[in-house]
Amino acid sequence: MRFAAIVFVLLLSAPTMAHQLKASVTTVLFNKRTNNIELMHRFYLHDTEHAVEHLFDGNADILSNKDDQKRFADYVESHIALQTLDGKPLELKEVGAQVDGKFFWVYQEVTIPEGIHGIRMSNGALRDLWPAQVNMVNIEGKGKVKTLTFSQDDTWLEAKFEALEPQ
């Protein structure tokens, strides 16, 4: 009976505990069709609502105010950087942002540089607000998917690509 009570309490608290973790997921896609590196940053809408309360005045409305959405997208973009492995900055361009269900998306892109063999990336979005924030980045379109995980004191991480496959 005691075991059943413990399981019941854990099940009741699971939804509360489940969203204690602050996390985002970014996809960095090397799109051969467009010849762009496309970045798609996905944040839980719940986290963005809390973030705009801290970042902007308490009346910010990430759900329906396009100006507040733009301000949050600008904030995210100011905390993201890409470089080649030798440290040459890749100038990311703003593409847009949107609310989609329970997520807030921010989009960026840059032309794929000739002969790129890997990237260095910095992803500090929301980590200045919540030190426990984890930003996971999946890099696709250059061989096997590579994953970078920004947590704790990580500032720059790198992914090297395998030799290009013959075309």
Side-chain angles (χ1 to χ4, degrees):
M1 183 65 173
R2 186 181 307 175
F3 177 74
I6 291 171
V7 169
F8 179 73
V9 169
L10 287 174
L11 287 174
L12 283 179
S13 63
T16 305
M17 293 186 320
H19 200 73
Q20 294 286 330
L21 175 65
K22 301 285 190 200
S24 74
V25 176
T26 294
T27 299
V28 175
L29 174 64
F30 282 76
N31 189 332
K32 293 176 187 171
R33 185 180 52 76
T34 63
N35 197 39
N36 284 330
I37 303 171
E38 301 169 354
L39 283 74
M40 297 154 277
H41 311 285
R42 186 188 79 182
F43 298 89
Y44 282 103
L45 192 52
H46 178 77
D47 292 345
T48 62
E49 289 173 316
H50 285 283
V52 297
E53 288 174 9
H54 293 286
L55 294 169
F56 315 127
D57 62 57
N59 295 326
D61 178 8
I62 194 79
L63 289 173
S64 57
N65 186 314
K66 295 290 185 192
D67 290 335
D68 290 338
Q69 292 174 7
K70 171 80 169 98
R71 287 183 354 175
F72 183 74
D74 290 345
Y75 160 83
V76 170
E77 292 167 355
S78 73
H79 286 75
I80 305 292
L82 273 185
Q83 298 178 346
T84 60
L85 288 177
D86 60 1
K88 179 184 175 211
L90 299 176
E91 298 300 323
L92 294 166
K93 290 179 247 152
E94 168 187 330
V95 175
Q98 70 176 356
V99 174
D100 181 29
K102 64 181 180 178
F103 299 110
F104 188 84
W105 292 85
V106 178
Y107 305 101
Q108 298 175 283
E109 68 183 9
V110 64
T111 302
I112 300 172
E114 274 299 307
I116 190 164
H117 300 292
I119 59 168
R120 296 185 73 233
M121 184 172 186
S122 177
N123 185 340
L126 300 180
R127 295 180 69 217
D128 52 341
L129 294 177
W130 301 301
Q133 172 79 21
V134 174
N135 295 332
M136 187 176 80
V137 177
N138 292 318
I139 302 163
E140 303 175 8
K142 280 290 200 180
K144 293 180 183 173
V145 174
K146 305 265 190 245
T147 300
L148 306 175
T149 304
F150 292 87
S151 61
Q152 298 176 345
D153 295 329
D154 295 329
T155 54
W156 286 91
L157 299 176
E158 70 178 40
K160 295 180 181 177
F161 307 137
E162 296 90 27
L164 295 175
E165 56 279 342
Q167 296 187 0

